[in-house]
Amino acid sequence: MPNMKMVAASREENASYMNGLLPIKESFDIIQRDMVIGGRMSSFYFIDGFTKDESMLKIMDSLFHVKEEDMPADATQFSRKCIPYVEVDVLGDFDQVLKNILSGVTCLFIDGYDACIAIDCRTYPARSVEEPDKDKSLRGSRDGFVETIVFNTALMRRRIRDPHLVMKMMEIGNASRTDVALCYMSDRVDRELLKNVSERLNCIQTDDLRMNQQSLAECLFKRKWYNPFPKFKFTERPDTAAACLLEGKVVILVDNSPSAMILPTSIFDMIEEANDHYFPTLTNIYLKSARCLITLLTVFLTPLFLLFMQNLNWLPEVFAFVAVKDTVNIPLIFQLLILEIAIDGLRLAALNTPSMLSTPLSVIAGLVMGEFSVKSGWFNSEVMLYMAFVAVANYTQPNFELGYALKFMRLELLILTALFNWWGFVIGTVIVICSVAFNKTLSGRNYLNIKLN
C-alpha cells in the first residue's frame, strides 16, 4: 500500500481524496452520506451490508441534535461528547481510514476537524456456531468456529476467563489485508516458540491470503514436497482450541476461516480428537490405542497382504485362509492401485453430490460396483475386503491432511514391495519412519517431539 497522506481539516478536501481512492459511483455498496452536524458539513463513508442500520439511525439521530454552539474543538472531544456508541476511534491518516472502511467500519469526516472519526457498528454475515461436521463429539459442547474472527475469539474467551489469555490482532496481505489473531496464555506459553511465531508472522510479505489459513501456513513454513505429513494441526472446535491454549500452545485464527491453527504439534496430537477428553481414563486410553493401531493398519495392511501373496511360502498354516483362492486376472498391485484411485473418485463424487442423493447413490455405488467388479473378474474379493477396511479406517482420525499423508506412504510401500519384494517393503518402512522422525515443525521439533537442528 503506497504512503497515504494525513487527514486535512477541510471536509471537501478529504471527501475529494476519498472519492479518488474509492469507486463511489461505480460500486453500489460503497456509500457516501453527506449531512449537516452542528452547522458543519459532514460525510459518512461505509459499506452497505456491513453496517447495523438500527445503530446508525440512532447515532445519526443524536448527531442531528448537536447544536452549533455545542461543537467541541477537535475530533477527539467530539467522539467523547457527541457519539453515543461503544467502539469509537479517531484516525489521523488515510491508510487507516481506508482499511477501516473496507473492513466495514463507518468513518465520519466533519469540516474543521483534521481527523476522521471511526464508528465500529459493523456486522458481518455469519452462520450459526453449530458443531462442525468433521470433528464431532459424543459428549461436550455442540458449538464450532465460524468464518468471523471476532466470534471465534469470543468462543474461546468464554471458556478461558483468565487475564493471561492474550489475543494479539495483526494484518497480513497487501491486497487482502486479512485479520490474523495470535492467541496464547502469557503465563504458560513457550516463550521461544511465541517469539519464533511472532517474528515469522511479522516478516510475511505476501499480496493476499487467498486460501486463508492454508496460505498463511505456506508463508509460515515452506514445506518440503516429498514429505506429505502436515506441519500444523487444525481444529474447528473451540473447546479443543481452548484446551490447547491451557496446555501452553499457540493458536492462530484467520478471518474468513472456520478453523484454528495449533502450534506446536506432534503425531500424537494429530491423531487425537475431542472424544478422548470426554470419557474416563480407561476408555480414553482404549480409544487412543485403538486409533493408533488402526492408523498403523491403514498404512501396512495392504502392503503386507501384497508381500505375503508374493511369498506364499511365508504364510503359516493358521493364516493360509488369507491367500487369494480365485483366478487373478489382473496383478494384485494394479488391483490395489486402481482401487486407491477409485475410492478417491467415490469420495469426490460424494462431496459434489446433492445431499438428498448422496446416501442412495453411495449405497448403489458400493453394492453394484463392488459386487459386479468382483464377478466380472476385475478384482478379487480379498483385495476388495482389505481396501474397504482401509477406506473406512481412514475416517477414524479427524485430520484430513494426515489421512492423505498416510495414503501416500501406503502407495509408496505398495509400489516398492511390488518392485523389490521384501527388500522393497523394508526400504518403504524405513522411508515411512524417517518421514515421521524427520518431519520438522515450526517449533523446531519433529513429530516425536524431539528437537532437530
Side-chain angles (χ1 to χ4, degrees):
M1 182 68 65
N3 292 329
M4 294 285 180
K5 71 171 190 174
M6 303 300 291
V7 177
S10 170
R11 198 272 324 176
E12 290 186 0
E13 183 179 344
N14 294 330
S16 176
Y17 187 76
M18 287 296 298
N19 293 343
L21 290 174
L22 297 172
I24 301 293
K25 296 181 179 180
E26 290 81 4
S27 294
F28 77 95
D29 60 334
I30 304 179
I31 297 174
Q32 175 186 356
R33 172 71 164 87
D34 296 331
M35 59 183 288
V36 178
I37 300 175
R40 303 185 188 184
M41 279 299 299
S42 307
S43 295
F44 282 93
Y45 286 89
F46 56 91
I47 304 291
D48 190 18
F50 283 165
T51 302
K52 297 178 186 176
D53 294 340
E54 293 182 1
S55 300
M56 280 306 302
L57 284 174
K58 292 180 180 179
I59 292 172
M60 287 183 175
D61 182 62
S62 67
L63 293 178
F64 276 129
H65 292 84
V66 177
K67 298 180 181 179
E68 187 173 355
E69 58 271 18
D70 296 332
M71 288 292 288
D74 55 36
T76 302
Q77 292 299 321
F78 184 89
S79 67
R80 293 174 180 172
K81 294 181 178 180
C82 303
I83 299 182
Y85 199 72
V86 179
E87 298 178 75
V88 181
D89 197 6
V90 177
L91 308 175
D93 67 276
F94 279 102
D95 184 23
Q96 290 298 316
V97 172
L98 189 63
K99 174 205 167 185
N100 276 269
I101 291 176
L102 295 178
S103 297
V105 178
T106 299
C107 288
L108 171 63
F109 294 93
I110 301 177
D111 194 32
Y113 292 160
D114 59 351
C116 171
I117 301 171
I119 308 170
D120 192 354
C121 58
R122 58 184 162 177
T123 179
Y124 289 140
R127 58 184 174 89
S128 61
V129 289
E130 58 190 7
E131 187 177 23
D133 292 330
K134 177 67 176 172
D135 198 2
K136 289 183 177 293
S137 174
L138 297 176
R139 292 182 183 173
S141 60
R142 293 288 187 267
D143 55 355
F145 287 133
V146 295
E147 286 75 14
T148 306
I149 193 171
V150 177
F151 290 3
N152 295 340
T153 56
L155 287 172
M156 290 196 297
R157 182 72 71 176
R158 181 183 178 187
R159 288 170 166 82
I160 306 176
R161 301 174 183 179
D162 191 316
H164 293 101
L165 175 57
V166 178
M167 297 184 178
K168 186 182 298 184
M169 188 72 75
M170 54 189 69
E171 179 184 297
I172 296 177
N174 297 327
S176 63
R177 308 189 76 164
T178 306
D179 290 327
V180 175
L182 179 65
C183 312
Y184 57 92
M185 298 292 294
S186 60
D187 60 334
R188 307 187 186 194
V189 70
D190 181 348
R191 286 292 168 181
E192 183 181 352
L193 172 65
L194 179 62
K195 180 182 178 182
N196 186 14
V197 174
S198 300
E199 289 176 353
R200 286 177 181 258
L201 287 172
N202 291 326
C203 293
I204 290 177
Q205 296 294 329
T206 183
D207 189 55
D208 57 75
L209 297 180
R210 64 191 69 186
M211 302 308 294
N212 302 325
Q213 279 182 324
Q214 186 57 39
S215 299
L216 180 64
E218 295 294 338
C219 293
L220 280 174
F221 197 97
K222 301 294 183 183
R223 68 172 66 204
K224 295 178 173 62
W225 64 269
Y226 51 81
N227 194 331
F229 285 96
K231 309 291 185 184
F232 309 93
K233 179 180 178 179
F234 295 94
T235 182
E236 295 186 31
R237 297 187 61 89
D239 53 354
T240 301
C244 291
L245 285 172
L246 293 172
E247 291 172 2
K249 296 183 179 181
V250 174
V251 173
I252 300 176
L253 299 172
V254 180
D255 197 23
N256 298 311
S257 176
S259 59
M261 182 190 302
I262 299 172
L263 298 169
T265 190
S266 68
I267 188 65
F268 306 106
D269 295 324
M270 287 292 181
I271 63 176
E272 191 177 50
E273 63 175 18
N275 283 317
D276 296 340
H277 300 279
Y278 284 111
F279 292 104
T281 304
L282 187 60
T283 308
N284 180 14
I285 293 173
Y286 170 75
L287 289 175
K288 284 185 177 180
S289 302
R291 195 177 302 112
C292 291
L293 177 61
I294 293 172
T295 300
L296 289 174
L297 286 176
T298 58
V299 178
F300 292 103
L301 180 64
T302 51
L304 275 173
F305 169 71
L306 179 62
L307 179 64
F308 280 113
M309 291 308 101
Q310 293 178 170
N311 303 273
L312 287 172
N313 56 314
W314 292 4
L315 272 176
E317 285 190 17
V318 68
F319 291 112
F321 65 91
V322 303
V324 177
K325 304 294 191 303
D326 301 329
T327 303
V328 179
N329 299 315
I330 298 176
L332 293 179
I333 178 61
F334 292 115
Q335 292 188 40
L336 292 167
L337 294 178
I338 292 171
L339 285 173
E340 289 279 4
I341 298 174
I343 289 171
D344 279 332
L346 291 175
R347 183 183 298 180
L348 292 173
L351 287 174
N352 295 298
T353 303
S355 57
M356 293 184 296
L357 301 176
S358 59
T359 301
L361 286 181
S362 298
V363 173
I364 292 172
L367 292 178
V368 174
M369 294 179 64
E371 182 178 358
F372 285 98
S373 60
V374 172
K375 287 185 176 180
S376 63
W378 273 91
F379 303 104
N380 293 92
S381 56
E382 292 85 357
V383 174
M384 294 289 291
L385 171 64
Y386 298 133
M387 284 306 303
F389 169 81
V390 168
V392 175
N394 272 333
Y395 292 100
T396 58
Q397 51 86 23
N399 192 290
F400 187 80
E401 284 184 311
L402 181 60
Y404 269 98
L406 298 175
K407 180 187 182 73
F408 296 143
M409 294 295 104
R410 185 171 63 249
L411 289 173
E412 165 255 326
L413 268 169
L414 284 171
I415 294 172
L416 288 176
T417 302
L419 291 176
F420 306 110
N421 205 353
W422 70 272
W423 271 110
F425 183 83
V426 172
I427 294 171
T429 303
V430 171
I431 292 175
V432 173
I433 295 172
C434 290
S435 297
V436 173
F438 295 101
N439 184 40
K440 187 177 179 181
T441 60
L442 191 63
S443 61
R445 298 179 178 271
N446 66 356
Y447 260 19
L448 303 178
N449 210 23
I450 300 173
K451 188 74 173 179
L452 297 176
N453 293 326

